[in-house]
Amino acid sequence: MNEPRGAGVPILMYHAVATEPNDATRALSVAPEAFTEQMALLDDLGFTPVGTAELARCWRASAPLPERPVLITFDDGYEGVHRHALPVLAKHGFASTLFVSTGWLRGAYDTGGALDDMLDWDQVRELASSGVEIGGHSHTHPQLDQLDDESLRSELLRCRDIVADELGARPASFAYPYGYSSRRVRRMVRETGFSQSLAVGNRLARRGQGPYALQRVTVRRSTVIEEFGQLVQGRSITRVFARDHALTKGYAMVRRARQVRRKAIRSRV
């Protein structure tokens, strides 16, 4: 069924799904019981979860989307996505996307920077074989827009190539660490072979945002089920995330000033 012109699609951004997260991940984690309740509500409301690549493909081709589409996405690669989220997703037959920071996962590429218990590659492969789309999220999870061109390209290529080596296929989708990007970052994400990418923004995703700046809605430990229901239906998003939007604007000004200062310093060297 074709979406109404200008209609938005909720892209939900999860991180850890954990009973006892540590302090570093607590705010952006959800309890397993809360995740179970949220997925049941999506089912009850008639939402149809789709993958990131499918949404972008449909919008590029002006092809029909399912009735009430929603995206369920996970960032970083926390172990609870396999332990707690996968059984719930499988129960409902829900599609989802996991964006992995390859240097944070347990195994040969581990750089030691992970914030909590992470997936290993056997678990990632099991998620992929269960229908979870695996996307890229950089190698070491830096603020990509603060990197020079060489470091930025290395982060993207390292992530892309490790996922391809481990899973046998290049990742098509990407999510910006911290949600930060710039025109330069988006261009390089495209040039390194990713077909679409997700930001944060805490707004509904719309076709007009373009395939490399699709917005997501943050689900936190503090998101109660009534608020969750409003968010997925596109209600009260501005009110719920008013403080986030104000902080984002202020921090964006600071970040731009830092970039200008760094460029000026490099030009004098």
Side-chain angles (χ1 to χ4, degrees):
M1 178 176 180
N2 282 308
E3 61 174 308
R5 184 174 179 82
V9 173
I11 303 181
L12 305 175
M13 182 181 68
Y14 289 94
H15 287 78
V17 182
T19 301
E20 297 181 356
N22 63 20
D23 290 344
T25 60
R26 178 172 297 278
L28 287 177
S29 71
V30 297
E33 298 79 12
F35 183 78
T36 299
E37 188 177 21
Q38 290 163 4
M39 295 303 102
L41 182 60
L42 290 181
D43 211 348
D44 290 343
L45 292 174
F47 279 94
T48 304
V50 298
T52 303
E54 181 182 358
L55 175 72
R57 178 186 60 78
C58 288
W59 274 351
R60 279 191 174 97
S62 297
L65 284 165
E67 188 74 29
R68 306 202 80 180
V70 63
L71 274 68
I72 302 163
T73 70
F74 303 90
D75 281 8
D76 302 344
Y78 296 101
E79 194 270 342
V81 176
H82 181 274
R83 180 190 300 244
H84 300 298
L86 180 58
V88 178
L89 295 168
K91 174 185 174 182
H92 292 283
F94 282 176
S96 63
T97 306
L98 167 67
F99 295 101
V100 294
S101 293
T102 48
W104 281 15
L105 302 187
R106 288 182 289 142
Y109 318 104
D110 190 349
T111 61
L115 300 179
D116 209 333
D117 293 335
M118 308 304 290
L119 297 161
D120 62 31
W121 283 101
D122 285 340
Q123 291 171 318
V124 175
R125 279 187 283 272
E126 186 175 343
L127 286 158
S129 68
S130 299
V132 177
E133 178 187 350
I134 308 299
H137 197 45
S138 80
H139 185 55
T140 65
H141 203 280
Q143 298 178 19
L144 295 177
D145 60 339
Q146 302 298 301
L147 301 180
D148 60 38
D149 286 353
E150 183 178 356
S151 299
L152 172 58
R153 185 176 295 276
S154 175
E155 280 285 337
L156 299 175
L157 291 176
R158 185 86 169 121
C159 175
R160 184 199 72 183
D161 292 347
I162 289 173
V163 173
D165 288 346
E166 290 291 336
L167 302 184
R170 281 189 180 184
S173 305
F174 189 84
Y176 306 110
Y178 307 103
Y180 300 145
S181 72
S182 65
R183 183 177 300 176
R184 178 179 66 98
V185 171
R186 293 189 290 273
R187 183 183 70 249
M188 199 167 291
V189 167
R190 183 179 66 250
E191 290 175 354
T192 50
F194 293 96
S195 299
Q196 51 275 327
S197 192
L198 305 183
V200 182
N202 288 313
R203 295 178 175 86
L204 295 181
R206 301 180 188 277
R207 189 191 314 237
Q209 292 164 358
Y212 291 94
L214 295 173
Q215 305 291 291
R216 292 189 285 176
V217 175
T218 307
V219 184
R220 302 184 169 108
R221 206 165 189 85
S222 60
T223 305
V224 298
I225 193 62
E226 293 80 12
E227 182 177 275
F228 179 84
Q230 291 180 328
L231 296 178
V232 297
Q233 295 177 87
R235 301 171 186 164
S236 303
I237 292 179
T238 300
R239 176 184 59 79
V240 170
F241 294 107
R243 183 172 182 272
D244 298 74
H245 291 156
L247 289 173
T248 297
K249 288 181 180 178
Y251 194 37
M253 294 176 65
V254 172
R255 292 167 62 77
R256 282 196 292 271
R258 288 175 180 170
Q259 288 176 310
V260 170
R261 187 163 58 249
R262 275 198 296 271
K263 288 180 179 177
I265 292 171
R266 284 199 296 268
S267 68
R268 293 198 297 266
V269 174

